[in-house]
Amino acid sequence: MQVPVAGAAALHVLGDALGSVGVIAAAVVLLTTGWPYADTVASLLIMLLITPRAFALLREAAHVLLEGAPKGLDVTEVKDALAGTPGVVEVHDLHVWAINDRTPAASAHLVVDSGGDEVRPATGCGEESVLDRAVTILRERFGLDHSTLQLEHRAHSAHEHRCS
């Protein structure tokens, strides 16, 4: 379950409020009955309420910090879609990540098969460049509005693989 930052803050405040209620209840039990473990029981109940959400928030934060792919997005499917773009012969160095729950991003190197037309902007009449087609696929099929794509000719790609 992904909770936006405002939702996480609200849950934190609710946890604090429940903690306060628990402390007050423990104080009332201790004052009226003298039972010395009331505070310990209240503390354990508060811990049981807070711990699962704390681990969930920690897991979500680690996923973002480690630049994990957005939930529900299959990176292999993104790669296959880019590889199926007319004019693209290979896709490598594909990275898909999200820095928050609203901004997924992608970057990739696309090896193209033609001699320069792939980077020219569309001139109208339904003509699109390889770059235009790839960006449209990322945006429309996967909701990746922010993408950085590097187009490479086969010769450059061979050099890149040889030197890495």
Coordinates of all heavy atoms in Angstrom, one line a residue, residues 73-91 94 110 130 133-142 144:
L73 N 4.6 -1.5 -12.8 CA 5.3 -1.3 -14.1 C 6.3 -2.4 -14.3 O 7.2 -2.6 -13.6 CB 6.0 0.1 -14.1 CG 6.4 0.6 -15.4 CD1 5.2 0.8 -16.3 CD2 7.2 1.9 -15.3
D74 N 6.1 -3.1 -15.4 CA 7.0 -4.2 -15.8 C 8.1 -3.7 -16.7 O 7.8 -3.3 -17.8 CB 6.2 -5.3 -16.5 CG 7.0 -6.5 -16.8 OD1 8.3 -6.5 -16.6 OD2 6.4 -7.5 -17.3
V75 N 9.3 -3.6 -16.2 CA 10.4 -3.1 -16.9 C 10.7 -3.9 -18.2 O 11.1 -3.3 -19.3 CB 11.7 -2.9 -16.1 CG1 12.9 -2.4 -16.9 CG2 11.4 -2.1 -14.9
T76 N 10.5 -5.2 -18.1 CA 10.7 -6.0 -19.3 C 9.7 -5.6 -20.4 O 10.1 -5.6 -21.6 CB 10.6 -7.5 -19.0 OG1 11.6 -7.8 -18.0 CG2 10.8 -8.4 -20.2
E77 N 8.5 -5.4 -20.0 CA 7.5 -4.9 -21.0 C 7.9 -3.6 -21.6 O 7.7 -3.4 -22.8 CB 6.1 -4.9 -20.3 CG 5.0 -4.7 -21.2 CD 3.6 -4.6 -20.5 OE1 3.5 -5.2 -19.4 OE2 2.7 -4.0 -21.0
V78 N 8.4 -2.7 -20.8 CA 8.8 -1.4 -21.3 C 10.0 -1.6 -22.4 O 9.9 -1.0 -23.5 CB 9.3 -0.5 -20.2 CG1 9.9 0.8 -20.8 CG2 8.2 -0.1 -19.3
K79 N 10.9 -2.5 -22.0 CA 12.0 -2.7 -22.9 C 11.5 -3.4 -24.2 O 12.0 -3.0 -25.3 CB 13.1 -3.6 -22.3 CG 14.3 -3.9 -23.1 CD 15.3 -4.7 -22.4 CE 16.6 -4.8 -23.2 NZ 17.7 -5.5 -22.5
D80 N 10.6 -4.3 -24.1 CA 10.1 -5.0 -25.3 C 9.3 -4.0 -26.2 O 9.4 -4.0 -27.4 CB 9.2 -6.1 -24.9 CG 9.9 -7.3 -24.3 OD1 11.2 -7.3 -24.4 OD2 9.3 -8.1 -23.7
A81 N 8.6 -3.1 -25.6 CA 7.8 -2.1 -26.3 C 8.8 -1.1 -27.1 O 8.6 -0.8 -28.3 CB 6.9 -1.3 -25.4
L82 N 9.9 -0.7 -26.4 CA 10.8 0.2 -27.1 C 11.6 -0.6 -28.2 O 11.8 0.0 -29.3 CB 11.9 0.7 -26.0 CG 11.4 1.8 -25.1 CD1 12.4 2.1 -24.0 CD2 11.0 3.0 -25.8
A83 N 11.9 -1.8 -27.9 CA 12.6 -2.6 -28.9 C 11.7 -2.9 -30.2 O 12.2 -3.0 -31.3 CB 13.0 -4.0 -28.4
G84 N 10.4 -2.8 -30.0 CA 9.4 -3.0 -31.1 C 9.1 -1.7 -31.8 O 8.4 -1.8 -32.8
T85 N 9.7 -0.6 -31.4 CA 9.5 0.6 -32.1 C 10.1 0.6 -33.5 O 11.3 0.2 -33.6 CB 10.1 1.8 -31.3 OG1 9.5 1.8 -30.0 CG2 9.8 3.1 -31.9
P86 N 9.4 0.9 -34.5 CA 10.0 0.9 -35.9 C 11.3 1.8 -35.9 O 11.3 2.9 -35.4 CB 8.9 1.5 -36.7 CG 7.7 1.2 -36.0 CD 8.0 1.3 -34.6
G87 N 12.4 1.2 -36.4 CA 13.6 1.9 -36.5 C 14.6 1.6 -35.4 O 15.8 1.9 -35.4
V88 N 14.1 0.9 -34.3 CA 15.0 0.5 -33.2 C 15.4 -0.9 -33.3 O 14.5 -1.8 -33.6 CB 14.2 0.7 -31.8 CG1 15.0 0.2 -30.6 CG2 13.9 2.2 -31.6
V89 N 16.7 -1.2 -33.2 CA 17.2 -2.6 -33.4 C 17.6 -3.1 -32.0 O 17.7 -4.4 -31.9 CB 18.3 -2.7 -34.4 CG1 17.8 -2.3 -35.8 CG2 19.5 -1.8 -34.1
E90 N 17.9 -2.3 -31.0 CA 18.3 -2.8 -29.7 C 18.0 -1.7 -28.7 O 18.1 -0.5 -29.0 CB 19.8 -3.1 -29.8 CG 20.4 -3.6 -28.5 CD 21.9 -3.7 -28.5 OE1 22.5 -3.7 -29.6 OE2 22.5 -3.7 -27.4
V91 N 17.8 -2.2 -27.5 CA 17.6 -1.3 -26.3 C 18.6 -1.8 -25.2 O 18.6 -3.0 -24.9 CB 16.1 -1.4 -25.8 CG1 16.0 -0.5 -24.6 CG2 15.2 -0.9 -26.9
L94 N 18.5 0.5 -20.0 CA 17.2 0.9 -19.6 C 17.1 1.0 -18.1 O 17.4 0.1 -17.4 CB 16.1 0.0 -20.1 CG 14.7 0.2 -19.7 CD1 14.2 1.6 -20.2 CD2 13.8 -0.9 -20.2
L110 N 18.8 3.7 -27.3 CA 18.2 3.0 -28.4 C 19.1 2.9 -29.5 O 19.6 4.0 -30.0 CB 16.9 3.7 -28.8 CG 15.9 4.0 -27.7 CD1 14.7 4.8 -28.3 CD2 15.4 2.8 -27.0
V130 N 12.0 8.3 -34.9 CA 12.1 7.2 -34.0 C 12.0 7.7 -32.6 O 11.3 7.1 -31.8 CB 13.5 6.5 -34.2 CG1 13.7 5.4 -33.1 CG2 13.6 5.8 -35.5
R133 N 8.4 8.5 -31.8 CA 7.6 7.2 -31.6 C 7.9 6.6 -30.2 O 7.0 6.2 -29.5 CB 7.9 6.2 -32.7 CG 7.2 6.7 -34.0 CD 7.3 5.6 -35.1 NE 8.7 5.2 -35.5 CZ 9.4 5.7 -36.5 NH1 8.8 6.6 -37.3 NH2 10.6 5.3 -36.8
A134 N 9.2 6.6 -29.8 CA 9.6 5.9 -28.6 C 9.0 6.7 -27.4 O 8.5 6.2 -26.4 CB 11.1 5.8 -28.5
V135 N 9.1 8.1 -27.4 CA 8.6 8.9 -26.4 C 7.1 8.7 -26.2 O 6.5 8.6 -25.1 CB 9.0 10.4 -26.6 CG1 8.2 11.3 -25.7 CG2 10.5 10.6 -26.4
T136 N 6.4 8.6 -27.4 CA 4.9 8.5 -27.3 C 4.6 7.1 -26.7 O 3.6 7.0 -25.9 CB 4.4 8.5 -28.8 OG1 4.6 9.9 -29.3 CG2 2.9 8.3 -28.8
I137 N 5.3 6.1 -27.0 CA 5.0 4.8 -26.4 C 5.2 4.8 -24.9 O 4.4 4.3 -24.1 CB 6.0 3.7 -27.0 CG1 5.5 3.3 -28.4 CG2 6.0 2.4 -26.2 CD1 6.5 2.5 -29.2
L138 N 6.3 5.4 -24.5 CA 6.6 5.5 -23.0 C 5.5 6.3 -22.3 O 5.0 5.9 -21.2 CB 7.9 6.2 -22.8 CG 9.1 5.3 -23.1 CD1 10.4 6.2 -22.9 CD2 9.2 4.0 -22.3
R139 N 5.0 7.4 -22.9 CA 4.0 8.2 -22.3 C 2.6 7.6 -22.3 O 2.0 7.5 -21.3 CB 4.0 9.6 -23.0 CG 3.0 10.6 -22.4 CD 3.0 12.0 -23.1 NE 2.6 11.8 -24.5 CZ 3.4 12.0 -25.5 NH1 4.7 12.4 -25.3 NH2 3.0 11.9 -26.7
E140 N 2.2 7.1 -23.5 CA 0.8 6.6 -23.6 C 0.6 5.2 -23.0 O -0.4 4.9 -22.5 CB 0.4 6.7 -25.1 CG 0.3 8.1 -25.6 CD -0.1 8.2 -27.0 OE1 -0.3 7.1 -27.7 OE2 -0.3 9.3 -27.5
R141 N 1.6 4.3 -23.2 CA 1.4 2.9 -22.7 C 1.8 2.7 -21.3 O 1.2 1.9 -20.6 CB 2.2 2.0 -23.6 CG 1.5 1.7 -24.9 CD 2.2 0.7 -25.7 NE 2.3 -0.6 -25.1 CZ 3.1 -1.6 -25.6 NH1 3.7 -1.5 -26.7 NH2 3.2 -2.7 -24.9
F142 N 2.8 3.5 -20.8 CA 3.3 3.3 -19.5 C 3.2 4.5 -18.5 O 3.6 4.4 -17.4 CB 4.8 2.8 -19.6 CG 4.9 1.6 -20.5 CD1 5.4 1.7 -21.8 CD2 4.6 0.3 -20.0 CE1 5.6 0.6 -22.6 CE2 4.7 -0.8 -20.8 CZ 5.2 -0.7 -22.1
L144 N 4.9 7.1 -18.5 CA 6.3 7.7 -18.3 C 6.4 9.0 -19.0 O 6.9 9.1 -20.2 CB 7.3 6.7 -18.7 CG 7.3 5.4 -17.9 CD1 8.1 4.3 -18.6 CD2 7.9 5.6 -16.5

